[in-house]
Amino acid sequence: MISLILEFICYESEIIEQYSKQNGNTVQRCGLCLQVTPIFGCFSRWSYRQEWPGSMEVKKIHPRKGETLESALLRLNIIARTDGCLSVKENHQYYYQMQQQLFCTERKWVDFVASDGYALFVERVLLVYDFWSRNLQTLQFLLQCNF
């Protein structure tokens, strides 16, 4: 596990650079973000310039031998194909993570960027207010019961 984390740290800057060249966007580091009421936090490592309402979530994917990035993302159930379009699955932990980042940072969208070191998969995930109306009450209950 430690070796995967170290590998990701090494690849993260390369993925960001590849993304920036491809999209012409400049990103900057950010850090711990807290939403005080209710108490939630997130660690968002990358965001866009202050005037842009977005941030970024970077993932390093490890395809099997001979497997494409897209095939690996589908096999790992990170993305799904619906009507010919690929998107992050709404029941995947990455989707929940991105929605929490958006909620805590009060940003409007996050670019999900996945790479195998060669190819990029990029999807802009929007803040879904309905997601929070469905899940916030349960999360508050769990916080009250456990803290």
Side-chain angles (χ1 to χ4, degrees):
M1 182 65 159
I2 298 296
S3 64
L4 290 177
I5 293 169
L6 293 174
E7 179 186 357
F8 173 75
I9 291 169
C10 293
Y11 277 109
E12 186 178 44
S13 294
E14 292 175 23
I15 294 169
I16 297 295
E17 186 177 323
Q18 183 182 7
Y19 169 85
S20 294
K21 284 180 182 176
Q22 181 177 317
N23 295 298
N25 296 329
T26 303
V27 295
Q28 60 192 21
R29 286 188 179 274
C30 60
L32 180 65
C33 302
L34 295 175
Q35 174 65 278
V36 179
T37 308
I39 299 173
F40 290 114
C42 70
F43 189 78
S44 180
R45 291 180 47 89
W46 299 98
S47 69
Y48 292 94
R49 296 186 304 255
Q50 188 73 21
E51 65 271 14
W52 287 21
S55 64
M56 173 184 276
E57 183 60 34
V58 178
K59 300 295 182 189
K60 174 75 165 84
I61 305 300
H62 299 273
R64 293 177 177 160
K65 187 175 181 176
E67 186 176 44
T68 65
L69 174 62
E70 181 181 308
S71 296
L73 289 167
L74 288 164
R75 175 181 51 82
L76 295 167
N77 290 312
I78 296 170
I79 63 173
R81 185 183 315 275
T82 307
D83 297 326
C85 296
L86 297 171
S87 60
V88 178
K89 293 179 82 169
E90 292 182 10
N91 64 349
H92 194 277
Q93 64 186 8
Y94 292 166
Y95 185 83
Y96 278 76
Q97 179 184 3
M98 290 183 285
Q99 288 299 322
Q100 183 171 346
Q101 282 179 10
L102 291 168
F103 182 76
C104 292
T105 61
E106 298 180 341
R107 298 216 175 225
K108 304 295 181 206
W109 48 263
V110 58
D111 278 349
F112 174 74
V113 180
S115 176
D116 59 1
Y118 304 102
L120 286 180
F121 172 85
V122 180
E123 181 192 357
R124 181 154 292 174
V125 177
L126 303 176
L127 174 61
V128 177
Y129 294 101
D130 186 51
F131 174 88
W132 286 103
S133 65
R134 289 190 319 260
N135 293 296
L136 190 56
Q137 191 173 18
T138 303
L139 290 170
Q140 287 174 320
F141 175 76
L142 291 172
L143 282 171
Q144 290 172 351
C145 290
N146 292 302
F147 296 101

